Amino acid sequence: MYEGAVKQKRKFPQKVMDWLGVCSKGVSPLIIFEDGWVDHARYIREVLPIALEYGDQVFGDQRTFQQDGTKPHIHHLTQQWRRDNFPVFIDKDHWPPKSPDFNPLDYSILDEFAPVIYCDKVKCKKTLIEEPKRSVKKIRPEVVFESCTSWTK
């Protein structure tokens, strides 16, 4: 059974986590966590600096950073790190959860990304890591732009 890009073949499958940012100019570098889940400390250490650097390169100070309400995102140390480093961000108390209008990556971009992941090619952890790297390159720029444009309305 397929649901998005999830296909379970055995009782205890290998797992990786991915992080991808999106903006009206494209997608950020894909971050793959090969060895497990991400807590707030790892998110601060491994994701936020890349998001900050990407935003600086693409927009300078003319951007607003937002994310969803997962635990690493709403942790008070994560919130403080963003206050200290991002020019503008939407904090956890001002973001409506699970809204397709406000989370373009979770809805429009995932709908674009998931179908181009070939789950049948994933036979081991190596291909589980390689397949998202290949597939992220197939996200069409016009879909990214349109989803971000609808967000700003």
Side-chain angles (χ1 to χ4, degrees):
M1 177 168 130
Y2 288 87
E3 183 177 321
V6 176
K7 181 179 180 183
Q8 186 168 338
K9 287 188 163 192
R10 57 184 185 171
K11 189 172 183 178
F12 302 105
Q14 302 245 356
K15 295 179 183 179
V16 298
M17 286 189 73
D18 300 334
W19 180 90
L20 183 68
V22 65
C23 68
S24 61
K25 306 263 185 195
V27 295
S28 72
L30 178 67
I31 301 172
I32 297 177
F33 301 96
E34 297 181 27
D35 59 349
W37 303 108
V38 178
D39 64 4
H40 74 278
R42 192 169 186 196
Y43 182 72
I44 291 168
R45 185 177 62 250
E46 297 179 37
V47 174
L48 290 178
I50 290 173
L52 181 63
E53 180 181 346
Y54 178 77
D56 286 347
Q57 290 173 353
V58 174
F59 292 105
D61 285 346
Q62 303 301 310
R63 68 184 186 282
T64 300
F65 183 77
Q66 75 83 24
Q67 59 206 351
D68 62 22
T70 64
K71 286 184 180 184
H73 300 176
I74 64 172
H75 192 277
H76 70 94
L77 292 175
T78 304
Q79 296 288 304
Q80 186 60 51
W81 196 96
R82 285 192 307 257
R83 267 190 292 282
D84 293 344
N85 292 280
F86 284 94
V88 179
F89 80 97
I90 301 173
D91 68 24
K92 69 178 185 71
D93 296 326
H94 294 94
W95 197 251
K98 298 185 191 259
S99 168
D101 295 331
F102 294 121
N103 290 311
L105 183 58
D106 288 351
Y107 294 89
S108 302
I109 306 304
L110 186 57
D111 286 347
E112 177 81 2
F113 183 49
V116 298
I117 294 177
Y118 299 125
C119 292
D120 291 337
K121 288 186 175 183
V122 177
K123 305 289 184 199
C124 62
K125 191 166 187 175
K126 180 180 177 188
T127 55
L128 182 61
I129 293 165
E130 290 172 355
E131 190 57 22
K133 288 179 181 179
R134 182 200 61 77
S135 301
V136 75
K137 296 174 186 171
K138 294 189 173 197
I139 297 173
R140 294 174 295 157
E142 60 271 16
V143 172
V144 174
F145 181 77
E146 288 171 15
S147 66
C148 290
T149 300
S150 71
W151 177 80
T152 58
K153 291 177 186 171

